[in-house]
Amino acid sequence: MKSSKEIAEVFRALGDPTRIEILRHLQSGEKTTTELSELMELSQSVVTHHITVLYMSRLLGCRREGKWVYYSISPAGVNTVKTLLAEVTSLKMPEEKEDAHWELKEKGNWSWSM
């Protein structure tokens, strides 16, 4: 189980519109920093900064071909995000009894009844 700090770092990487846009561009396949920079109309240094954050959070993978580095979405990173989201949002149910059930106490307020 990852620490709260480690989980927050992964979600922080996803919490920026520019990084979301990078991920959307990479959905169609791998791209270089130069290609992303041109597509997004941003400087290479800005794109590089955001790629670094995504890469350090293991959301991106890369491969080198000559002097070019191609970035892509990391399937393992995507699975990690899904796992972490499930981990921090899973509801821990009290021990179930035969007549236990969720009950609406008031608008939008549910409680576990036994």
Side-chain angles (χ1 to χ4, degrees):
M1 179 183 270
K2 290 190 180 259
S3 73
S4 295
K5 185 177 180 180
E6 291 170 316
I7 293 169
E9 285 299 313
V10 171
F11 288 109
R12 182 183 72 82
L14 294 169
D16 184 277
T18 301
R19 292 192 279 271
I20 297 297
E21 190 174 345
I22 288 170
L23 290 169
R24 285 188 170 155
H25 283 297
L26 293 175
Q27 285 176 320
S28 61
E30 62 184 15
K31 293 184 180 40
T32 65
T33 303
T34 303
E35 291 170 319
L36 289 167
S37 177
E38 290 170 2
L39 284 168
M40 298 171 68
E41 299 179 352
L42 294 172
S43 71
Q44 283 194 14
S45 63
V46 168
V47 172
T48 297
H49 164 75
H50 290 292
I51 284 175
T52 300
V53 172
L54 290 166
Y55 184 80
M56 296 303 290
S57 296
R58 297 188 176 131
L59 297 170
L60 295 185
C62 69
R63 71 174 180 88
R64 187 173 293 277
E65 188 175 301
K67 69 174 189 163
W68 298 102
V69 178
Y70 291 86
Y71 293 94
S72 60
I73 295 173
S74 164
V78 170
N79 286 334
T80 297
V81 170
K82 289 177 182 178
T83 300
L84 292 176
L85 184 59
E87 184 180 308
V88 298
T89 60
S90 66
L91 191 56
K92 295 189 184 342
M93 300 294 224
E95 221 174 283
E96 289 194 36
K97 295 187 178 178
E98 220 173 279
D99 62 342
H101 61 279
W102 281 104
E103 191 174 280
L104 182 60
K105 294 292 186 185
E106 55 189 62
K107 187 177 180 178
N109 187 8
W110 291 84
S111 69
W112 186 252
S113 244
M114 292 195 235

